[in-house]
């Protein structure tokens, strides 16, 4: 079963993980900023917001893992050795797969770092 | 003696002598560390928040030192001549663990520690404690207006350039700015917080040791930014209560020559002295001015000569100060007013 047609396994899939990272970052910062600026006026508590952002974080991590799995497949499950620098169609595909995998790893760690305050910060600063 | 980069604060502009450090005198390099104690040092905490920051600093320095040693160790190891080079597989594994897994784990741990510490450095939940009525501090070019709220049956009052706090009681500050951005920072008690025109920022500090500390303005605010500081006197609770009671009472008229001149030369148009003049608000309140550590918001030691120097020409002592020069007055008048002000104890 193909999740994404092979033709799309290209530059576009390369950006999936960093895009999820960016969206997750915006979701966390905007939600927290608005919740605190409108403290009292929003119909949910700070802890509800923490929980919601926690779920969003899990979804983001799942998306990144999916992107990593697809990249891993595109890379031939690690069968070839980098740097994949022959001027062939095959090597370009493998190179992109490998780069996507690395970017997914970076994005995974970054999303974890962004989500860290959710664990420790329990209230808005007045 | 080597220069002491964070040595004691000398208000009257003396300089530390520095001497070349002979190689055999290398242990002397440790002496400056003793200079890191003192009245304006985050490395000599006298409050809960400062202690948390100090711990953070030590952890980060120790962590940084360990990583540095490991990197240098690796470098030396890599530079050694060896018979057979590492196999590509072993090298790859070293990169994966040492270059990816290890830094990610260390950064994750340090970040978690710093974020976990944040509520201890900025205890904002304490602001909502019912007892915590904020002391309002306003930064103005180039001095500090300080308003104490009414408390325990004692009325509210205004003072300037010197903050007094009881030891062991949480203090809450409402921080404002009159003209440009300033920043409120008492290194011995905690982290800094900006004062922004049109905004009120809240900060909470818990002093744990009595003493006198210095608090510099921590955001460039104009020509005399470096000469904008205030003193913080942390006192035993009984002394503090007595001080508050006296402050609210003010300095009743004594009929002295200096007092007469102070009113006659128009100083009272800008400066209030409770019990004597109506409260004026253009310049710092001068009630109990003689108790202050400094004149000119941390610029000079508070002596009669320095006060006279300041009155004669504030701009010379403190470029850009918003008090007019009074150098047209006879020296005798200025000296009498300086004596009077220094005597307001
Ligand atoms: Cu300032």
């Amino acid at each position: 079963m193909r999740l994404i047609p092979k033709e799309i396994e290209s530059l576009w899939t390369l950006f999936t993980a960093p895009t999820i990272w960016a969206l997750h970052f915006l979701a966390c910062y905007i939600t927290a900023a608005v919740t605190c600026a409108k403290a009292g006026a929003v119909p949910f508590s700070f802890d509800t917001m923490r929980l919601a952002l926690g779920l969003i974080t899990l979804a983001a991590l799942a998306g990144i893992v999916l992107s990593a799995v697809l990249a891993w497949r595109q890379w031939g499950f690690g069968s070839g050795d980098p740097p994949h620098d022959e001027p062939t169609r095959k090597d370009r595909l493998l190179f992109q797969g490998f780069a996507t995998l690395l970017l997914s790893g970076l994005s995974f760690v970054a999303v974890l770092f962004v989500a860290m305050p959710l664990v420790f910060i329990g209230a808005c600063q007045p | 003696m080597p220069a002491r980069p964070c040595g004691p604060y000398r208000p009257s502009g003396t300089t530390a002598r520095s001497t070349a450090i002979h190689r055999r005198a290398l242990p002397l390099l440790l002496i400056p560390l003793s200079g890191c104690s003192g009245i304006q040092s985050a490395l000599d905490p006298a409050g809960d928040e400062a202690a948390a920051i100090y711990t953070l600093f030590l952890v980060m320095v120790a962590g940084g030192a360990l990583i540095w040693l490991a990197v240098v160790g690796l470098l030396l190891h890599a530079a050694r001549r060896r018979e057979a080079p590492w196999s590509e597989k072993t090298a790859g594994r070293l990169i994966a663990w040492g270059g990816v897994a290890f830094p990610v784990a260390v950064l994750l741990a340090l970040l978690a520690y710093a974020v976990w510490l944040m509520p201890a450095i900025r205890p904002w939940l304490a602001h909502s404690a019912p007892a915590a009525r904020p002391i309002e501090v306003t930064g103005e070019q180039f001095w500090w207006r300080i308003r104490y709220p009414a408390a325990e049956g004692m009325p509210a009052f205004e003072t300037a350039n010197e903050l007094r706090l009881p030891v062991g009681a949480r203090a809450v500050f409402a921080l404002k700015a009159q003209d440009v951005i300033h920043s409120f920072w008492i290194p011995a008690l905690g982290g800094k917080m900006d004062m922004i025109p049109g905004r009120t920022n809240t900060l909470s500090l818990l002093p744990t040791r009595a003493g006198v500390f210095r608090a510099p303005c921590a955001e460039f605010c104009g020509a005399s930014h470096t000469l904008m500081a205030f003193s913080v006197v942390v006192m035993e609770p009984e002394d503090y209560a007595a001080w508050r009671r006296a402050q609210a009472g003010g300095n009743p008229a004594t009929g002295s020559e200096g007092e007469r001149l102070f009113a006659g030369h128009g100083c009272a148009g800008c400066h209030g002295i409770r019990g004597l003049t109506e409260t004026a608000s253009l310049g710092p309140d001068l009630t109990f001015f003689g108790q202050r550590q400094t004149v000119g918001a941390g610029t000079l030691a508070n002596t009669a000569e320095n006060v006279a120097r300041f009155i004669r020409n504030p701009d010379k002592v403190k470029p850009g100060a918003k008090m007019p020069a009074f150098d047209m007055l006879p020296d005798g008048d200025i000296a009498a007013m300086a004596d009077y002000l220094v005597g307001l104890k």
Side-chain angles (χ1 to χ4, degrees):
Chain A
M1 190 194 82
R2 297 213 80 89
L3 275 173
I4 301 177
K6 232 188 164 111
E7 305 79 65
I8 305 182
E9 278 176 355
S10 69
L11 227 48
W12 296 108
T13 46
L14 185 68
F15 296 131
T16 314
T19 305
I20 295 177
W21 166 17
L23 292 177
H24 172 262
F25 179 93
L26 289 175
C28 286
Y29 275 75
I30 293 175
T31 312
V34 171
T35 307
C36 286
K38 301 274 176 201
V42 286
F44 49 84
S45 71
F46 193 84
D47 284 331
T48 316
M49 183 206 77
R50 272 166 97 185
L51 198 66
L53 287 180
L55 294 177
I56 290 179
T57 302
L58 289 182
L61 291 177
I64 290 171
V65 169
L66 179 66
S67 142
V69 170
L70 291 178
W72 193 34
R73 190 186 63 191
Q74 183 183 344
W75 186 41
F77 302 102
S79 53
D81 250 353
H84 312 296
D85 51 1
E86 293 299 316
T88 61
R89 192 171 165 71
K90 175 157 179 282
D91 251 25
R92 195 170 70 212
L93 208 68
L94 289 181
F95 173 82
Q96 276 171 1
F98 186 47
T100 311
L101 186 62
L102 292 182
L103 271 177
S104 304
L106 176 69
S107 307
F108 190 90
V109 173
V111 166
L112 279 186
F113 281 16
V114 170
M116 182 92 72
L118 289 174
V119 182
F120 296 106
I121 305 293
C124 299
Q125 182 157 24
Chain B
M1 193 191 84
R4 289 155 53 114
C6 29
Y9 158 60
R10 300 180 188 82
S12 44
T14 54
T15 48
R17 261 181 311 130
S18 72
T19 42
I21 297 167
H22 197 266
R23 207 178 319 135
R24 286 170 75 198
L26 214 57
L28 280 179
L29 268 176
L30 291 176
I31 288 180
L33 286 179
S34 68
C36 293
S37 61
I39 67 175
Q40 188 184 308
S41 177
L43 302 183
D44 188 11
D48 263 9
E49 289 71 26
I53 294 174
Y54 184 54
T55 314
L56 175 68
F57 171 75
L58 292 182
V59 169
M60 293 290 171
V61 168
L66 282 178
I67 292 174
W68 182 77
L69 284 176
V71 170
V72 171
L74 261 176
L75 188 72
L76 294 178
H77 176 73
R80 257 184 8 186
R81 177 198 294 279
R82 74 189 74 240
E83 301 297 298
W86 281 24
S87 76
E88 206 160 309
K89 195 158 167 227
T90 322
R93 210 175 296 140
L94 179 72
I95 292 175
W97 284 105
V100 180
F102 177 74
V104 166
V106 169
L107 285 179
L108 200 73
L110 288 181
L111 180 66
Y113 173 65
V115 176
W116 169 77
L117 204 66
M118 239 169 97
I121 291 174
R122 290 264 190 267
W124 54 80
L125 291 181
H127 298 167
S128 41
R133 298 203 42 208
I135 299 173
E136 189 185 304
V137 183
T138 310
E140 314 206 2
Q141 283 174 327
F142 298 97
W143 59 283
W144 312 81
R145 183 191 300 281
I146 302 172
R147 289 203 182 100
Y148 281 81
E152 288 155 27
M154 287 178 279
F157 65 90
E158 179 170 325
T159 177
N161 300 334
E162 187 164 300
L163 186 66
R164 295 201 176 213
L165 301 171
V167 66
R170 182 160 287 289
V172 179
F173 302 99
L175 304 175
K176 304 180 174 185
Q178 170 71 26
D179 31 40
V180 297
I181 300 179
H182 303 270
S183 191
F184 178 96
W185 186 31
I186 311 171
L189 298 189
K192 64 180 176 162
M193 176 75 87
D194 278 2
M195 310 167 107
I196 300 166
R199 268 190 70 109
T200 302
N201 282 342
T202 315
L203 179 72
S204 163
L205 298 171
L206 176 61
T208 50
R209 172 157 60 82
V212 179
F213 310 104
R214 184 176 191 266
C217 178
E219 179 72 47
F220 180 76
C221 60
S224 277
H225 162 67
T226 41
L227 300 177
M228 174 170 174
F230 60 98
S231 356
V232 182
V233 183
V234 177
M235 318 167 80
E236 295 304 328
E238 315 84 68
D239 299 343
Y240 173 76
W243 171 81
R244 257 206 86 122
R245 231 171 290 123
Q247 277 286 329
N251 301 114
T254 56
S256 71
E257 168 77 352
E259 181 183 290
R260 199 180 51 71
L261 290 166
F262 185 84
H265 287 313
C267 315
C270 291
H271 296 289
I273 296 181
R274 267 187 305 289
L276 180 74
T277 69
E278 282 159 50
T279 31
S281 62
L282 274 171
D285 184 275
L286 295 179
T287 313
F288 287 108
F289 174 77
Q291 288 183 353
R292 282 181 204 161
Q293 309 286 318
T294 63
V295 53
T299 306
L300 300 170
N302 193 358
T303 64
E305 302 87 81
N306 283 340
V307 174
R309 215 174 118 197
F310 188 86
I311 298 173
R312 198 171 294 119
N313 201 336
D315 193 64
K316 259 206 187 123
V317 175
K318 209 171 162 175
K322 299 218 156 64
M323 166 164 153
F326 285 88
D327 47 2
M328 68 294 193
L329 296 183
D331 279 351
D333 282 16
I334 291 179
M337 285 190 292
D339 280 339
Y340 161 68
L341 288 172
V342 170
L344 292 178
K345 291 205 164 136

